[in-house]
Amino acid sequence: MQLYKIGELAAKANVSTRTIDYYTNLGLIKPEERSSGNYRLYSESCLTTLKLIERMKNEKYSLQEIKSKLSQMQKVPKHDVLNKMMIIQEQMKKVEEDLRELEPMLRHVRDHKELRQAVQDMAVKGVSMAQVTLAILHETMYLL
């Protein structure tokens, strides 16, 4: 596991060492361990948390709100998240299969006005779902 001294962590997170000290004192982050020279050593997850804190600050969250959200995030059991992701993945696979099955049928009914509208509505919803999915996955990757 990669561990960083405070200066290294500050440089990687693009914040000052004073900010790291402040966040440590507030309990937003905590060192993983101490070196033989008694330096605080921070993990890669602290770097991720620092980036998240800075992004939330840019979104105008107070430090108290950030602390509360970080606390909530730590309470979520990881197996629950993984199970939910697997369920969604299976549902997405089923929708994809259904759409592939529907595709040849749609080619034969081009003149049906209601069907054309339904396809158009579905396309819009599909694009919206794709955008939401990408946004959520992007946020998730940012947090990991």
Side-chain angles (χ1 to χ4, degrees):
M1 168 175 49
Q2 176 73 42
L3 296 175
Y4 304 101
K5 291 181 183 175
I6 191 169
E8 296 168 327
L9 182 66
K12 284 202 167 277
N14 202 26
V15 297
S16 70
T17 56
R18 289 183 63 200
T19 297
I20 303 234
D21 279 333
Y22 185 57
Y23 290 170
T24 301
N25 290 334
L26 288 177
L28 294 173
I29 60 172
K30 58 183 173 185
E32 201 68 32
E33 58 187 71
R34 293 238 178 212
S35 71
S36 57
N38 207 29
Y39 289 104
R40 288 175 288 175
L41 299 174
Y42 294 88
S43 68
E44 191 75 30
S45 69
C46 282
L47 177 59
T48 302
T49 302
L50 279 171
K51 289 178 180 178
L52 177 60
I53 291 168
E54 291 304 305
R55 195 178 91 240
M56 291 174 78
K57 277 179 48 184
N58 288 335
E59 293 173 3
K60 308 299 184 214
Y61 286 96
S62 71
L63 289 176
Q64 187 59 41
E65 290 171 320
I66 292 171
K67 186 173 185 174
S68 174
K69 288 194 179 287
L70 290 174
S71 177
Q72 289 172 350
M73 288 170 51
Q74 291 171 349
K75 291 179 184 174
V76 176
K78 291 182 181 25
H79 70 277
D80 287 353
V81 174
L82 185 57
N83 287 341
K84 186 68 171 173
M85 287 178 66
M86 290 173 68
I87 290 168
I88 291 170
Q89 195 172 25
E90 286 299 315
Q91 289 171 336
M92 289 170 65
K93 185 178 177 182
K94 175 71 172 118
V95 168
E96 184 179 352
E97 289 169 0
D98 289 348
L99 287 171
R100 288 192 193 285
E101 187 179 304
L102 186 60
E103 183 182 13
M105 291 183 257
L106 290 175
R107 290 192 179 131
H108 299 291
V109 287
R110 291 183 184 165
D111 296 332
H112 198 278
K113 195 176 193 176
E114 290 175 9
L115 187 56
R116 239 191 355 257
Q117 184 62 46
V119 169
Q120 186 177 4
D121 291 347
M122 211 166 131
V124 169
K125 288 178 184 171
V127 169
S128 296
M129 284 296 297
Q131 290 171 332
V132 168
T133 303
L134 286 172
I136 289 170
L137 293 176
H138 176 71
E139 289 293 316
T140 304
M141 292 307 296
Y142 187 79
L143 296 173
L144 298 176

